[in-house]
Amino acid sequence: MKRIAAAWTLAALAGTAGIAIAAAPQATTFLDPGYLDLADVILPAPIPQEPRGVADREVFKLTRALKGTPRWDMAVADVPGDTASMMRDFGCATRIAMTPVNAPKTAALLEQASRDARGETNRLKAFYKKKRPFLIDSGETCEPQTDELAQSYDYPSGHATRGWTWGLVLAEVLHERAGPILARARAYGESRIVCGVHNMSAVEAGRMVASSTLAVVRTERAYADMVTAARAELATLPKRDDAASVQACSAEELLVTQPIFR
C-alpha cells in the first residue's frame, strides 16, 4: 500500500536486543515517495514570450505599485511559512487562536499533508528550473533578492502549494468556516505575487499541486483519523471574538477580498 508507517528509530528496533543505536525520526507522510506523479497534470511552465508568460510579466510589473500598502504588509507577514506563523495567518479565517502548542494534533495533520504536496512541488521545480520574476524583469520585492532566493526556482510556488494545502485541510476540519479559510488560502498564495518572488502561473500551479495531492491523500484512513482528532482539538480552543481581534480581522478580510491588480 501507499501508506507510510509512523516515524521510527533504530533504537526502537534494537530495543530487546540491548543494542544502543540511535537515529533521528523520519518525517511522516501519507503517501509513499513516487506514488503520485503530477507531470501530466500540471501545465508546463510558461516561457516569457508565450501568452501565459506575457501575462506573468505584466502582473509582476503592475503589482510593484503595491509596495507601501497594507496588502504589501500582509505579503511580508506571509513570508515565513513556518507552522507557528501560518497558524497565526489563518487565525482570523478560523476565528481560533491556534498555535503548535495548543493545537499539536492539528499542526501534525497540516504538516504531514504539506510534506506530501511539497514533494510533488519540488520535483516539478527541479524539472522546469523556471527563473523567478525579478530575474526576468527588474523590480522591488518584499524579500531580499539574495543569491539563495535567485538560485531557487519559480514554478510551482512552494508557498502557494503549502497555503492551499492548509486551506483545503482546515476547510475540511472546520467546514463551517470553509469560505473564509479558502479565501485566506487564496490570498496567501497571492502574497507571493505581491512580493514579486513568484509569477501568477507559479501560484496557480501550486494550487493545482495541492488539490491534486490532497485528492489522493484523502483516501488514506490515517488522514481521516487525523482530521477527526484535529476537529475535536480545535473545538476546545478559545475563539478570537474580543474587540481587538474583531477589528484586526475585519481589516484583514477587506484585504483578502480585494484583487491584487486591476
Side-chain angles (χ1 to χ4, degrees):
M1 278 295 289
K2 52 189 174 292
R3 191 175 293 109
I4 290 183
W8 52 272
T9 65
L10 290 177
L13 291 178
T16 56
I19 303 172
I21 301 174
Q26 295 179 342
T28 307
T29 57
F30 290 106
L31 307 178
D32 283 335
Y35 181 83
L36 182 64
D37 184 356
L38 297 180
D40 294 329
V41 177
I42 310 304
L43 287 172
I47 60 174
Q49 296 77 22
E50 69 173 86
R52 283 194 300 147
V54 171
D56 279 342
R57 298 178 71 182
E58 286 301 310
V59 169
F60 173 76
K61 294 171 186 175
L62 286 170
T63 50
R64 296 314 85 216
L66 290 171
K67 184 177 180 180
T69 67
R71 186 61 185 87
W72 184 274
D73 294 339
M74 176 189 278
V76 172
D78 285 346
V79 167
D82 60 281
T83 306
S85 67
M86 287 189 69
M87 282 186 149
R88 184 173 61 250
D89 290 338
F90 279 90
C92 284
T94 61
R95 287 290 193 266
I96 298 173
M98 300 181 293
T99 71
V101 174
N102 68 13
K105 294 178 182 177
T106 304
L109 166 64
L110 291 164
E111 285 306 311
Q112 190 162 327
S114 294
R115 278 192 288 271
D116 282 301
R118 183 171 63 240
E120 299 307 311
T121 296
N122 289 343
R123 278 188 283 276
L124 291 168
K125 276 179 178 283
F127 179 77
Y128 288 115
K129 295 181 171 61
K130 188 175 187 301
K131 290 183 179 180
R132 290 181 183 266
F134 61 83
L135 296 174
I136 298 172
D137 296 293
S138 62
E140 293 192 67
T141 57
C142 77
E143 286 187 67
Q145 296 179 20
T146 61
D147 289 342
E148 182 181 7
L149 182 65
Q151 289 166 10
S152 62
Y153 299 117
D154 172 55
Y155 190 94
S157 163
H159 269 71
T161 302
R162 182 171 169 81
W164 197 243
T165 299
W166 273 55
L168 292 172
V169 173
L170 285 171
E172 187 168 355
V173 174
L174 299 168
H175 43 80
E176 70 279 5
R177 295 289 301 170
I181 288 169
L182 291 170
R184 185 62 179 91
R186 171 187 49 75
Y188 186 84
E190 288 175 347
S191 284
R192 305 307 284 167
I193 302 171
V194 173
C195 267
V197 294
H198 276 298
N199 282 302
M200 180 171 63
S201 63
V203 169
E204 292 170 347
R207 293 188 191 124
M208 179 62 79
V209 170
S211 297
S212 302
T213 304
L214 202 59
V216 181
V217 165
R218 280 183 172 134
T219 67
E220 292 296 293
R221 176 60 184 270
Y223 174 81
D225 289 345
M226 291 181 77
V227 166
T228 299
R231 188 175 292 131
E233 178 179 71
L234 294 184
T236 68
L237 297 185
K239 306 301 180 188
R240 294 191 60 180
D241 53 8
D242 59 282
S245 292
V246 169
Q247 183 177 7
C249 289
S250 294
E252 179 181 288
E253 288 165 5
L254 182 60
L255 286 177
V256 167
T257 59
Q258 292 176 347
I260 60 173
F261 62 92
R262 288 180 171 85

